[in-house]
Structures are given as structure tokens and as C-alpha cells.
């Protein structure tokens, strides 16, 4: 820990975990990239127990793997694994949409509206961490109304597992605005109490997400192969 900041309260394992999870999703940490404890302690101005706990949390989610004699590194998913994860998430989140009791309260709808306003502002400001956070928050604030906490936990697990299909290739203005528009359509279906439309839009929204995630894996792999070729020629 830096001597200049030793008087500050070090970040918790949860804080380190959330930051590293976002880094993985945004492509700032790459598949097979090593996560060295000493470097993470320095980066987060923290201590080893908190870093180790954060890495253990990421490992439990399948986002990090431990290799004997090498330590922790970012896990890697292939297209087949990503497809399986998203097929499960599509079915679970569609089920959650069918279990929501409409109409939602005005407070619940107002909260979703505020999330979308912040999401739009984050897109305008190119704040990718905030875009990622609000995208996840929008879905979780809808799923919480399905009335089944076990279903919510299963959706969250599949969502976290899918983070290895990185967003980095998708961070184009076109993609981000289309995704926000889909969220607005979901909210409109909730406002009008059109449950069938809600289910249809949610399923289509997640299916489009799967297509983009597969694209991101293939494109990132193409870039990686090109980099390897450049290094060997």
C-alpha cells in the first residue's frame, strides 16, 4: 500500500471484485492475462487478503482461473460455451418477464426511467464503465419484480458468466444507442402492461446481445492472431 495513502481506508474485497469484473467485461483485462496479487495491491492501494478474496469471488463466477505455479489469470470462453450460457439466460429472463405482476408501481417505473436517463447521459459522455453498470442495473431492477429470488440469482449467475464475452468490440455509438432503444421499448411494454410484448422484446433483446457477443469473441480472436503473426514475422 502506498505510504502517501496509508491513512485512507483501503477498498474492500467487494470493491476490488466489482472493478475487476468491469475490467473483464470491457476488455481491459484479456483472456489468459495474469492477475498478479502484488500489482493488484498496488493498483487498488489495498492489501493481499482483500485482493485474494476478490480473486476468489471472480473464480467462483468462472471469470478467473488458477493455474498451478502461475497464479490467477482471466478465464476464456469459446463461442460454443458463450452460446450455451446465453441460451440459458434468454430462457430464464423471458420466464422472469412472464412472472412479473403488472402494473408495476409508479415508484418502480420512475426508477427504471431514471436508469435510462443516466444510461443515455453515459453514452453521450462515452462513460463505458457507467454504461456497463446501468445496463446490468436496468435488467436486475426488472427481474426483481418476478417474485422469485432463486430465479433472480440464476439470471445474475448467467449474466456474470457471460461477461467473458467482452463488450470491447461492441462499444460503438450505433450499438450502444440501439441497446438503449431496446431498453426503452422494454419499459414501454411495462408501462402499457403488455406482458406478451414484454416477453417478446426481452427475448429479442437478449438474442441480439448473444449475436454481438459472439461477434466480439471472433473479432478479438482475429486481432489476437494478427498480433501473434506480427510478432513472429
Amino acid at each position: 500500500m502506498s505510504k502517501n495513502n496509508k491513512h485512507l481506508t483501503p477498498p474492500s474485497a467487494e470493491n476490488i471484485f466489482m472493478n475487476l469484473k468491469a475490467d473483464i467485461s470491457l476488455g481491459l483485462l484479456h483472456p489468459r492475462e495474469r492477475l498478479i496479487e502484488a500489482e493488484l495491491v498496488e493498483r487498488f492501494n489495498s492489501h493481499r487478503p482483500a485482493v485474494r478474496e476478490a480473486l476468489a469471488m471472480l473464480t467462483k463466477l468462472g471469470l478467473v482461473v488458477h493455474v498451478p505455479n502461475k497464479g490467477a489469470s482471466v478465464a476464456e470462453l469459446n463461442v460454443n460455451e458463450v452460446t450455451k450460457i446465453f441460451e440459458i439466460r434468454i430462457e430464464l429472463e423471458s420466464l422472469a418477464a412472464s412472472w412479473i405482476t403488472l402494473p408495476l408501481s409508479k415508484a418502480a417505473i420512475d426508477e427504471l426511467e431514471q436508469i435510462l436517463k443516466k444510461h443515455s447521459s453515459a453514452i453521450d459522455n462515452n462513460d463505458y464503465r457507467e454504461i456497463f453498470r446501468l445496463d446490468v442495473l436496468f435488467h436486475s431492477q426488472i427481474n426483481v419484480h418476478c417474485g422469485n429470488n432463486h430465479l433472480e440469482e440464476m439470471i445474475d449467475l448467467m449474466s456474470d458468466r457471460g461477461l467473458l464475452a467482452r463488450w470491447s468490440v461492441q462499444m460503438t455509438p450505433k450499438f450502444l444507442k440501439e441497446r438503449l432503444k431496446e431498453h426503452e421499448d422494454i419499459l414501454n411494454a411495462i408501462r402499457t402492461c403488455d406482458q406478451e410484448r414484454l416477453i417478446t422484446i426481452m427475448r429479442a433483446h437478449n438474442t441480439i446481445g448473444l449475436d454481438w457477443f459472439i461477434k466480439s469473441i471472433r473479432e478479438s480472436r482475429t486481432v489476437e492472431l494478427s498480433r501473434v503473426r506480427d510478432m513472429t514475422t
Side-chain angles (χ1 to χ4, degrees):
M1 186 181 301
S2 170
K3 292 181 180 179
N4 294 331
N5 295 316
K6 64 182 180 179
H7 62 286
L8 300 176
T9 302
S12 65
E14 178 70 20
N15 181 275
I16 297 170
F17 162 74
M18 293 300 295
N19 275 278
L20 292 176
K21 188 167 79 165
D23 285 352
I24 291 170
S25 173
L26 295 172
L28 301 176
L29 292 172
H30 302 283
R32 303 190 302 279
E33 182 170 344
R34 291 186 63 197
L35 300 172
I36 300 170
E37 285 187 10
E39 293 179 357
L40 295 175
V41 168
E42 182 68 21
R43 171 187 168 184
F44 291 105
N45 191 37
S46 187
H47 45 74
R48 285 185 182 269
V51 167
R52 287 173 181 165
E53 184 179 348
L55 291 176
M57 295 164 71
L58 291 165
T59 300
K60 186 175 181 180
L61 286 180
L63 300 180
V64 166
V65 294
H66 282 269
V67 180
N69 302 318
K70 290 187 177 181
S73 62
V74 179
E76 182 177 26
L77 288 180
N78 58 42
V79 170
N80 184 50
E81 290 170 326
V82 169
T83 300
K84 289 178 180 178
I85 289 170
F86 269 82
E87 284 176 345
I88 295 172
R89 180 182 173 183
I90 289 168
E91 295 304 321
L92 292 178
E93 204 152 11
S94 298
L95 179 61
S98 74
W99 284 359
I100 293 173
T101 300
L102 297 176
L104 294 187
S105 67
K106 182 179 183 301
I109 291 176
D110 288 347
E111 184 173 10
L112 291 170
E113 288 176 344
Q114 287 302 312
I115 292 171
L116 291 186
K117 287 180 181 178
K118 292 178 181 178
H119 194 163
S120 179
S121 178
I123 292 173
D124 291 339
N125 294 324
N126 295 318
D127 187 345
Y128 298 129
R129 284 183 180 274
E130 186 68 353
I131 292 168
F132 166 69
R133 185 185 74 82
L134 291 168
D135 185 283
V136 173
L137 181 61
F138 181 78
H139 282 264
S140 66
Q141 289 302 109
I142 291 175
N143 294 332
V144 73
H145 295 288
C146 77
N148 189 312
N149 62 301
H150 300 292
L151 179 55
E152 289 179 62
E153 290 173 3
M154 293 171 69
I155 293 171
D156 289 344
L157 177 60
M158 290 299 102
S159 177
D160 285 337
R161 291 281 175 85
L163 293 181
L164 288 169
R166 297 173 296 162
W167 280 40
S168 54
V169 177
Q170 309 171 39
M171 290 300 183
T172 64
K174 181 176 183 293
F175 169 80
L176 295 174
K177 289 177 181 178
E178 286 177 353
R179 192 162 182 87
L180 177 60
K181 177 61 169 59
E182 291 163 11
H183 282 188
E184 291 170 347
D185 290 342
I186 289 170
L187 181 54
N188 283 334
I190 292 173
R191 281 198 196 98
T192 58
C193 298
D194 191 338
Q195 196 135 30
E196 288 303 316
R197 179 164 170 74
L198 171 62
I199 296 166
T200 299
I201 296 173
M202 187 69 77
R203 179 178 291 276
H205 175 66
N206 285 323
T207 301
I208 292 170
L210 170 59
D211 294 339
W212 274 92
F213 283 130
I214 290 175
K215 178 183 177 184
S216 78
I217 289 179
R218 288 174 173 161
E219 291 190 11
S220 62
R221 190 156 297 167
T222 298
V223 171
E224 184 176 348
L225 288 173
S226 177
R227 189 181 300 123
V228 171
R229 291 193 194 100
D230 290 343
M231 293 173 61
T232 57
T233 56

PDB file of all heavy atoms in Angstrom, residues 17-36:
ATOM      1  N   PHE A  17     -13.421  -6.562  -6.435  1.00  0.00           N
ATOM      2  CA  PHE A  17     -14.138  -7.540  -7.253  1.00  0.00           C
ATOM      3  C   PHE A  17     -14.956  -6.846  -8.341  1.00  0.00           C
ATOM      4  O   PHE A  17     -14.899  -7.225  -9.519  1.00  0.00           O
ATOM      5  CB  PHE A  17     -15.042  -8.377  -6.348  1.00  0.00           C
ATOM      6  CG  PHE A  17     -16.145  -9.114  -7.043  1.00  0.00           C
ATOM      7  CD1 PHE A  17     -15.880 -10.237  -7.799  1.00  0.00           C
ATOM      8  CD2 PHE A  17     -17.464  -8.675  -6.933  1.00  0.00           C
ATOM      9  CE1 PHE A  17     -16.907 -10.920  -8.441  1.00  0.00           C
ATOM     10  CE2 PHE A  17     -18.484  -9.351  -7.563  1.00  0.00           C
ATOM     11  CZ  PHE A  17     -18.211 -10.476  -8.324  1.00  0.00           C
ATOM     12  N   MET A  18     -15.722  -5.819  -7.981  1.00  0.00           N
ATOM     13  CA  MET A  18     -16.570  -5.129  -8.945  1.00  0.00           C
ATOM     14  C   MET A  18     -15.736  -4.423 -10.014  1.00  0.00           C
ATOM     15  O   MET A  18     -16.098  -4.428 -11.194  1.00  0.00           O
ATOM     16  CB  MET A  18     -17.471  -4.122  -8.229  1.00  0.00           C
ATOM     17  CG  MET A  18     -18.520  -4.751  -7.327  1.00  0.00           C
ATOM     18  SD  MET A  18     -19.653  -5.852  -8.223  1.00  0.00           S
ATOM     19  CE  MET A  18     -20.476  -4.677  -9.295  1.00  0.00           C
ATOM     20  N   ASN A  19     -14.619  -3.822  -9.625  1.00  0.00           N
ATOM     21  CA  ASN A  19     -13.753  -3.154 -10.587  1.00  0.00           C
ATOM     22  C   ASN A  19     -13.128  -4.140 -11.562  1.00  0.00           C
ATOM     23  O   ASN A  19     -13.084  -3.888 -12.776  1.00  0.00           O
ATOM     24  CB  ASN A  19     -12.664  -2.367  -9.859  1.00  0.00           C
ATOM     25  CG  ASN A  19     -13.110  -0.983  -9.446  1.00  0.00           C
ATOM     26  OD1 ASN A  19     -13.088  -0.052 -10.233  1.00  0.00           O
ATOM     27  ND2 ASN A  19     -13.542  -0.853  -8.201  1.00  0.00           N
ATOM     28  N   LEU A  20     -12.656  -5.271 -11.050  1.00  0.00           N
ATOM     29  CA  LEU A  20     -12.049  -6.269 -11.924  1.00  0.00           C
ATOM     30  C   LEU A  20     -13.092  -6.920 -12.831  1.00  0.00           C
ATOM     31  O   LEU A  20     -12.817  -7.217 -14.003  1.00  0.00           O
ATOM     32  CB  LEU A  20     -11.326  -7.342 -11.094  1.00  0.00           C
ATOM     33  CG  LEU A  20     -10.073  -6.876 -10.345  1.00  0.00           C
ATOM     34  CD1 LEU A  20      -9.525  -7.999  -9.484  1.00  0.00           C
ATOM     35  CD2 LEU A  20      -9.007  -6.383 -11.315  1.00  0.00           C
ATOM     36  N   LYS A  21     -14.285  -7.105 -12.312  1.00  0.00           N
ATOM     37  CA  LYS A  21     -15.363  -7.673 -13.126  1.00  0.00           C
ATOM     38  C   LYS A  21     -15.684  -6.754 -14.294  1.00  0.00           C
ATOM     39  O   LYS A  21     -15.868  -7.213 -15.429  1.00  0.00           O
ATOM     40  CB  LYS A  21     -16.612  -7.917 -12.265  1.00  0.00           C
ATOM     41  CG  LYS A  21     -17.704  -8.674 -12.989  1.00  0.00           C
ATOM     42  CD  LYS A  21     -18.783  -9.185 -12.039  1.00  0.00           C
ATOM     43  CE  LYS A  21     -19.747  -8.094 -11.660  1.00  0.00           C
ATOM     44  NZ  LYS A  21     -20.986  -8.636 -11.029  1.00  0.00           N
ATOM     45  N   ALA A  22     -15.732  -5.451 -14.025  1.00  0.00           N
ATOM     46  CA  ALA A  22     -15.981  -4.484 -15.099  1.00  0.00           C
ATOM     47  C   ALA A  22     -14.823  -4.478 -16.097  1.00  0.00           C
ATOM     48  O   ALA A  22     -15.035  -4.406 -17.309  1.00  0.00           O
ATOM     49  CB  ALA A  22     -16.181  -3.092 -14.522  1.00  0.00           C
ATOM     50  N   ASP A  23     -13.597  -4.559 -15.592  1.00  0.00           N
ATOM     51  CA  ASP A  23     -12.424  -4.586 -16.477  1.00  0.00           C
ATOM     52  C   ASP A  23     -12.480  -5.764 -17.436  1.00  0.00           C
ATOM     53  O   ASP A  23     -12.127  -5.643 -18.617  1.00  0.00           O
ATOM     54  CB  ASP A  23     -11.138  -4.674 -15.652  1.00  0.00           C
ATOM     55  CG  ASP A  23     -10.775  -3.358 -14.987  1.00  0.00           C
ATOM     56  OD1 ASP A  23     -11.431  -2.344 -15.280  1.00  0.00           O
ATOM     57  OD2 ASP A  23      -9.843  -3.354 -14.165  1.00  0.00           O
ATOM     58  N   ILE A  24     -12.918  -6.920 -16.932  1.00  0.00           N
ATOM     59  CA  ILE A  24     -13.020  -8.113 -17.773  1.00  0.00           C
ATOM     60  C   ILE A  24     -14.085  -7.918 -18.838  1.00  0.00           C
ATOM     61  O   ILE A  24     -13.880  -8.206 -20.015  1.00  0.00           O
ATOM     62  CB  ILE A  24     -13.317  -9.357 -16.901  1.00  0.00           C
ATOM     63  CG1 ILE A  24     -12.101  -9.693 -16.035  1.00  0.00           C
ATOM     64  CG2 ILE A  24     -13.689 -10.553 -17.778  1.00  0.00           C
ATOM     65  CD1 ILE A  24     -12.367 -10.754 -14.979  1.00  0.00           C
ATOM     66  N   SER A  25     -15.236  -7.406 -18.418  1.00  0.00           N
ATOM     67  CA  SER A  25     -16.334  -7.206 -19.365  1.00  0.00           C
ATOM     68  C   SER A  25     -15.972  -6.204 -20.446  1.00  0.00           C
ATOM     69  O   SER A  25     -16.302  -6.387 -21.615  1.00  0.00           O
ATOM     70  CB  SER A  25     -17.577  -6.725 -18.631  1.00  0.00           C
ATOM     71  OG  SER A  25     -18.591  -6.384 -19.535  1.00  0.00           O
ATOM     72  N   LEU A  26     -15.273  -5.128 -20.072  1.00  0.00           N
ATOM     73  CA  LEU A  26     -14.944  -4.062 -21.020  1.00  0.00           C
ATOM     74  C   LEU A  26     -13.722  -4.381 -21.874  1.00  0.00           C
ATOM     75  O   LEU A  26     -13.341  -3.595 -22.729  1.00  0.00           O
ATOM     76  CB  LEU A  26     -14.730  -2.748 -20.261  1.00  0.00           C
ATOM     77  CG  LEU A  26     -15.966  -2.200 -19.546  1.00  0.00           C
ATOM     78  CD1 LEU A  26     -15.591  -1.017 -18.664  1.00  0.00           C
ATOM     79  CD2 LEU A  26     -17.041  -1.807 -20.537  1.00  0.00           C
ATOM     80  N   GLY A  27     -13.118  -5.548 -21.630  1.00  0.00           N
ATOM     81  CA  GLY A  27     -11.963  -5.928 -22.433  1.00  0.00           C
ATOM     82  C   GLY A  27     -10.669  -5.281 -21.999  1.00  0.00           C
ATOM     83  O   GLY A  27      -9.665  -5.335 -22.715  1.00  0.00           O
ATOM     84  N   LEU A  28     -10.676  -4.643 -20.820  1.00  0.00           N
ATOM     85  CA  LEU A  28      -9.450  -4.040 -20.308  1.00  0.00           C
ATOM     86  C   LEU A  28      -8.514  -5.100 -19.750  1.00  0.00           C
ATOM     87  O   LEU A  28      -7.301  -4.885 -19.654  1.00  0.00           O
ATOM     88  CB  LEU A  28      -9.794  -3.012 -19.220  1.00  0.00           C
ATOM     89  CG  LEU A  28     -10.709  -1.861 -19.677  1.00  0.00           C
ATOM     90  CD1 LEU A  28     -11.064  -0.963 -18.504  1.00  0.00           C
ATOM     91  CD2 LEU A  28     -10.047  -1.060 -20.794  1.00  0.00           C
ATOM     92  N   LEU A  29      -9.082  -6.228 -19.350  1.00  0.00           N
ATOM     93  CA  LEU A  29      -8.317  -7.418 -18.981  1.00  0.00           C
ATOM     94  C   LEU A  29      -8.659  -8.507 -19.980  1.00  0.00           C
ATOM     95  O   LEU A  29      -9.837  -8.771 -20.224  1.00  0.00           O
ATOM     96  CB  LEU A  29      -8.658  -7.868 -17.552  1.00  0.00           C
ATOM     97  CG  LEU A  29      -8.200  -6.934 -16.426  1.00  0.00           C
ATOM     98  CD1 LEU A  29      -8.778  -7.390 -15.089  1.00  0.00           C
ATOM     99  CD2 LEU A  29      -6.678  -6.876 -16.349  1.00  0.00           C
ATOM    100  N   HIS A  30      -7.658  -9.122 -20.564  1.00  0.00           N
ATOM    101  CA  HIS A  30      -7.871 -10.047 -21.668  1.00  0.00           C
ATOM    102  C   HIS A  30      -7.825 -11.503 -21.209  1.00  0.00           C
ATOM    103  O   HIS A  30      -7.236 -11.820 -20.168  1.00  0.00           O
ATOM    104  CB  HIS A  30      -6.802  -9.818 -22.744  1.00  0.00           C
ATOM    105  CG  HIS A  30      -6.797  -8.424 -23.281  1.00  0.00           C
ATOM    106  ND1 HIS A  30      -7.729  -7.991 -24.181  1.00  0.00           N
ATOM    107  CD2 HIS A  30      -5.987  -7.354 -23.020  1.00  0.00           C
ATOM    108  CE1 HIS A  30      -7.497  -6.719 -24.477  1.00  0.00           C
ATOM    109  NE2 HIS A  30      -6.453  -6.309 -23.774  1.00  0.00           N
ATOM    110  N   PRO A  31      -8.466 -12.408 -21.966  1.00  0.00           N
ATOM    111  CA  PRO A  31      -8.388 -13.839 -21.643  1.00  0.00           C
ATOM    112  C   PRO A  31      -6.946 -14.293 -21.495  1.00  0.00           C
ATOM    113  O   PRO A  31      -6.070 -13.910 -22.283  1.00  0.00           O
ATOM    114  CB  PRO A  31      -9.052 -14.502 -22.857  1.00  0.00           C
ATOM    115  CG  PRO A  31      -9.995 -13.469 -23.373  1.00  0.00           C
ATOM    116  CD  PRO A  31      -9.299 -12.152 -23.153  1.00  0.00           C
ATOM    117  N   ARG A  32      -6.686 -15.067 -20.450  1.00  0.00           N
ATOM    118  CA  ARG A  32      -5.377 -15.629 -20.112  1.00  0.00           C
ATOM    119  C   ARG A  32      -4.410 -14.599 -19.528  1.00  0.00           C
ATOM    120  O   ARG A  32      -3.273 -14.943 -19.214  1.00  0.00           O
ATOM    121  CB  ARG A  32      -4.735 -16.328 -21.315  1.00  0.00           C
ATOM    122  CG  ARG A  32      -5.585 -17.441 -21.906  1.00  0.00           C
ATOM    123  CD  ARG A  32      -4.799 -18.262 -22.925  1.00  0.00           C
ATOM    124  NE  ARG A  32      -4.297 -17.449 -24.017  1.00  0.00           N
ATOM    125  CZ  ARG A  32      -5.030 -17.070 -25.069  1.00  0.00           C
ATOM    126  NH1 ARG A  32      -6.301 -17.445 -25.154  1.00  0.00           N
ATOM    127  NH2 ARG A  32      -4.511 -16.336 -26.017  1.00  0.00           N
ATOM    128  N   GLU A  33      -4.856 -13.347 -19.369  1.00  0.00           N
ATOM    129  CA  GLU A  33      -3.979 -12.338 -18.762  1.00  0.00           C
ATOM    130  C   GLU A  33      -3.811 -12.629 -17.279  1.00  0.00           C
ATOM    131  O   GLU A  33      -4.776 -12.879 -16.562  1.00  0.00           O
ATOM    132  CB  GLU A  33      -4.566 -10.942 -18.954  1.00  0.00           C
ATOM    133  CG  GLU A  33      -3.683  -9.834 -18.402  1.00  0.00           C
ATOM    134  CD  GLU A  33      -4.154  -8.449 -18.798  1.00  0.00           C
ATOM    135  OE1 GLU A  33      -4.973  -8.346 -19.747  1.00  0.00           O
ATOM    136  OE2 GLU A  33      -3.718  -7.473 -18.161  1.00  0.00           O
ATOM    137  N   ARG A  34      -2.571 -12.597 -16.820  1.00  0.00           N
ATOM    138  CA  ARG A  34      -2.285 -12.897 -15.418  1.00  0.00           C
ATOM    139  C   ARG A  34      -2.748 -11.773 -14.505  1.00  0.00           C
ATOM    140  O   ARG A  34      -2.679 -10.597 -14.850  1.00  0.00           O
ATOM    141  CB  ARG A  34      -0.787 -13.139 -15.228  1.00  0.00           C
ATOM    142  CG  ARG A  34      -0.264 -14.422 -15.870  1.00  0.00           C
ATOM    143  CD  ARG A  34       1.186 -14.641 -15.491  1.00  0.00           C
ATOM    144  NE  ARG A  34       1.315 -14.836 -14.053  1.00  0.00           N
ATOM    145  CZ  ARG A  34       2.487 -14.718 -13.395  1.00  0.00           C
ATOM    146  NH1 ARG A  34       3.580 -14.380 -14.038  1.00  0.00           N
ATOM    147  NH2 ARG A  34       2.528 -14.919 -12.082  1.00  0.00           N
ATOM    148  N   LEU A  35      -3.241 -12.155 -13.340  1.00  0.00           N
ATOM    149  CA  LEU A  35      -3.665 -11.214 -12.310  1.00  0.00           C
ATOM    150  C   LEU A  35      -2.728 -11.397 -11.122  1.00  0.00           C
ATOM    151  O   LEU A  35      -2.909 -12.304 -10.305  1.00  0.00           O
ATOM    152  CB  LEU A  35      -5.122 -11.478 -11.922  1.00  0.00           C
ATOM    153  CG  LEU A  35      -6.136 -11.336 -13.065  1.00  0.00           C
ATOM    154  CD1 LEU A  35      -7.504 -11.804 -12.619  1.00  0.00           C
ATOM    155  CD2 LEU A  35      -6.191  -9.901 -13.565  1.00  0.00           C
ATOM    156  N   ILE A  36      -1.723 -10.561 -11.043  1.00  0.00           N
ATOM    157  CA  ILE A  36      -0.659 -10.698 -10.044  1.00  0.00           C
ATOM    158  C   ILE A  36      -1.044  -9.945  -8.772  1.00  0.00           C
ATOM    159  O   ILE A  36      -1.349  -8.745  -8.812  1.00  0.00           O
ATOM    160  CB  ILE A  36       0.668 -10.170 -10.603  1.00  0.00           C
ATOM    161  CG1 ILE A  36       1.040 -10.967 -11.864  1.00  0.00           C
ATOM    162  CG2 ILE A  36       1.780 -10.261  -9.569  1.00  0.00           C
ATOM    163  CD1 ILE A  36       2.204 -10.399 -12.636  1.00  0.00           C
TER     164      ILE A  36
END
